[in-house]
């Protein structure tokens, strides 16, 4: 930051056109810069400026203004002012600028409003700037300064806590969305696997039916074998149904929460309609009647009336068999 100016800064020119007040003070030399003035500005809400090398005079209009008389701007004087500020409790941070070097040099001392109010002298003297003068800090003023400092610290901590909370909520939201997407993918894969198993079971059931009819024509002893195979198939149906019950509870809850149509019912309806059309093309009423019994076992979680309705729907929409022409 630039510390020296050959001419007067805009801020200095503005301050010279006003009288001494709560935010500006004029001093002829550095000896006039008192410790209590630095403390008074640091304890104020907006801080203040001390113009050294300036005296106050009354203009022709009867107004108090500042007039440049110049002062010593050497390093020794500047260091003395800095040391005064650092001797305060707690130390005050100030900035010293040199201006008007081409004519009568002056010092502009900026004293910001402190963040650790209240400030005092090493001897414990508290002052506050008011109406162009320094006055002692009253108990009420002291309480207000403490409250302002605590409120600022609380606001800072609160903003920090809110920022961390927003970050955590953002992470949780991202993880939740990712988890839901993964769950939907798992359900889709499960739907495909289930459809594959059901198709395989239906194919085995048809094979068993054909084997049974063939065996009855050749050897009645094969009936026992068929019964054992059928018993084993029924056991597999029951085992699969038990596993599907647990899965259906979880899937139904998720579908209800996400307001998604049950993909299993939709897939079952499409499969039944497709298989009915295939059987209808073979023009075999007995096979169709057996198929109705089979699908009731394959889809135990779907109402039989609904299954039969799907079968009838498929029969109605199925094209007429070519053999009927």
């Amino acid at each position: 930051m630039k510390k020296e100016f050959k001419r007067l800064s805009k801020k200095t020119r503005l301050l010279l056109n006003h009288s001494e007040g709560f935010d500006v003070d004029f001093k002829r030399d550095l000896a006039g810069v008192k410790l209590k003035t630095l403390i008074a500005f640091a304890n104020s809400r907006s801080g203040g400026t001390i113009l050294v090398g300036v005296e106050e005079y009354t203009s022709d209009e009867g107004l108090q203004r500042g007039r440049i008389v110049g002062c010593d701007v050497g390093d020794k004087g500047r260091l003395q002012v800095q040391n005064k500020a650092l001797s305060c409790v707690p130390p005050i941070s100030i900035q010293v600028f040199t201006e008007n070097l081409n004519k009568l040099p002056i010092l502009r001392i900026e004293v910001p409003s402190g963040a650790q109010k209240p400030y005092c002298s090493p001897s414990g003297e508290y002052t506050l700037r008011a109406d162009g003068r320094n006055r002692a800090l009253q108990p009420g003023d002291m309480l207000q300064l403490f409250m302002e400092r605590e409120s600022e610290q609380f606001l800072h901590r609160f903003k920090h806590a809110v920022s961390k909370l927003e970050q955590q909520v953002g992470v949780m939201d991202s993880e939740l969305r990712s988890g839901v997407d993964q769950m939907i993918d798992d359900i889709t894969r499960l739907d495909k696997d289930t459809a594959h198993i059901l198709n395989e079971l239906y194919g085995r059931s048809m094979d068993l039916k054909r084997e049974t009819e063939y065996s009855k024509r050749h050897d009645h002893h094969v009936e026992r074998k068929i019964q054992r195979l059928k018993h084993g198939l029924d056991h597999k149906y029951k085992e699969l149904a038990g596993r599907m019950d647990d899965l259906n509870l979880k899937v139904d809850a998720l579908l209800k929460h996400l307001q998604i149509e049950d993909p299993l019912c939709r897939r079952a309806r499409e499969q039944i309609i497709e298989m009915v059309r295939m059987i209808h093309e073979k023009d075999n009423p007995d096979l169709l009647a057996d198929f109705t019994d089979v699908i009731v076992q394959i889809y135990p979680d779907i109402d039989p009336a609904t299954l039969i309705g799907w079968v009838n729907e498929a029969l109605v929409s199925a094209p007429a068999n070519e053999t009927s022409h």
Side-chain angles (χ1 to χ4, degrees):
M1 181 184 294
K2 187 177 180 180
K3 296 289 187 178
E4 296 183 350
F5 301 87
K6 294 182 178 180
R7 299 180 178 85
L8 292 177
S9 65
K10 181 178 179 180
K11 180 176 182 179
T12 298
R13 292 197 302 270
L14 181 63
L15 293 175
L16 290 172
N17 287 326
H18 292 78
S19 62
E20 290 182 316
F22 70 92
D23 62 346
V24 62
D25 195 16
F26 301 144
K27 299 296 181 185
R28 288 186 60 88
D29 51 43
L30 286 170
V33 180
K34 304 299 182 183
L35 191 61
K36 61 183 180 180
T37 303
L38 299 176
I39 295 172
F41 279 140
N43 282 332
S44 68
R45 290 180 178 273
S46 58
T49 303
I50 304 174
L51 295 180
V52 184
V54 176
E55 66 177 4
E56 191 174 38
Y57 77 100
T58 303
S59 67
D60 296 337
E61 293 82 10
L63 301 176
Q64 300 295 318
R65 294 290 183 262
R67 176 164 46 205
I68 297 176
V69 295
C71 70
D72 180 14
V73 295
D75 291 339
K76 182 178 180 180
R78 297 160 62 96
L79 183 60
Q80 288 177 351
V81 176
Q82 292 283 3
N83 289 336
K84 285 183 180 180
L86 294 176
S87 69
C88 297
V89 182
I92 299 174
S93 177
I94 65 173
Q95 290 183 318
V96 181
F97 300 90
T98 304
E99 298 187 9
N100 207 34
L101 288 172
N102 287 344
K103 296 182 180 180
L104 296 174
I106 66 170
L107 293 178
R108 174 166 57 91
I109 303 174
E110 296 291 348
V111 185
S113 177
Q116 296 178 293
K117 301 182 184 72
Y119 294 86
C120 68
S121 67
S123 61
E125 180 182 7
Y126 292 87
T127 55
L128 186 65
R129 188 71 176 180
D131 299 329
R133 61 185 181 86
N134 304 323
R135 66 172 179 83
L137 205 63
Q138 301 299 323
D141 299 326
M142 184 80 72
L143 178 60
Q144 184 177 0
L145 290 177
F146 276 116
M147 292 179 64
E148 289 177 355
R149 184 180 68 180
E150 290 301 318
S151 63
E152 290 177 359
Q153 292 178 355
F154 171 79
L155 181 60
H156 175 74
R157 292 194 296 267
F158 178 76
K159 289 182 178 179
H160 179 69
V162 169
S163 176
K164 291 185 62 178
L165 181 61
E166 289 177 345
Q167 293 177 1
Q168 293 174 358
V169 169
V171 172
M172 291 175 61
D173 180 67
S174 176
E175 292 178 350
L176 180 60
R177 291 178 182 273
S178 177
V180 171
D181 292 341
Q182 182 64 42
M183 186 177 298
I184 292 176
D185 292 341
D186 294 340
I187 291 175
T188 302
R189 287 196 299 270
L190 180 61
D191 177 53
K192 294 181 180 179
D193 294 342
T194 303
H196 176 74
I197 293 175
L198 292 176
N199 288 332
E200 184 179 353
L201 289 175
Y202 177 72
R204 292 181 181 179
S205 177
M206 293 296 101
D207 292 341
L208 179 61
K209 178 69 176 180
R210 289 192 293 269
E211 183 180 349
T212 299
E213 293 176 351
Y214 178 81
S215 298
K216 283 182 178 180
R217 292 195 299 267
H218 293 81
D219 189 359
H220 67 278
H221 294 292
V222 178
E223 184 69 24
R224 294 181 179 178
K225 177 181 178 182
I226 299 301
Q227 291 297 328
R228 288 195 298 269
L229 291 175
K230 185 175 182 300
H231 177 75
L233 184 59
D234 290 341
H235 177 72
K236 291 183 178 180
Y237 282 145
K238 293 179 181 179
E239 180 180 357
L240 179 61
R243 294 171 57 190
M244 292 298 294
D245 286 341
D246 294 338
L247 180 61
N248 285 338
L249 290 175
K250 299 177 181 178
V251 174
D252 288 344
L254 181 59
L255 293 178
K256 182 178 180 181
H257 177 71
L258 297 177
Q259 298 181 351
I260 300 175
E261 180 185 1
D262 188 346
L264 296 183
C265 288
R266 174 174 51 78
R267 185 61 179 272
R269 177 175 175 275
E270 295 174 354
Q271 292 174 345
I272 289 174
I273 291 175
E274 180 66 23
M275 288 187 287
V276 168
R277 289 176 178 173
M278 294 172 58
I279 295 173
H280 181 71
E281 292 175 358
K282 297 182 181 295
D283 194 18
N284 189 339
D286 294 335
L287 183 59
L288 182 61
D290 291 337
F291 172 70
T292 303
D293 295 336
V294 170
I295 63 173
V296 171
Q297 299 182 48
I298 294 178
Y299 303 101
D301 295 329
I302 302 178
D303 182 48
T306 302
L307 297 174
I308 295 174
W310 291 346
V311 173
N312 293 332
E313 177 185 346
L315 289 174
V316 170
S317 61
N321 196 294
E322 294 179 357
T323 59
S324 63
H325 291 285

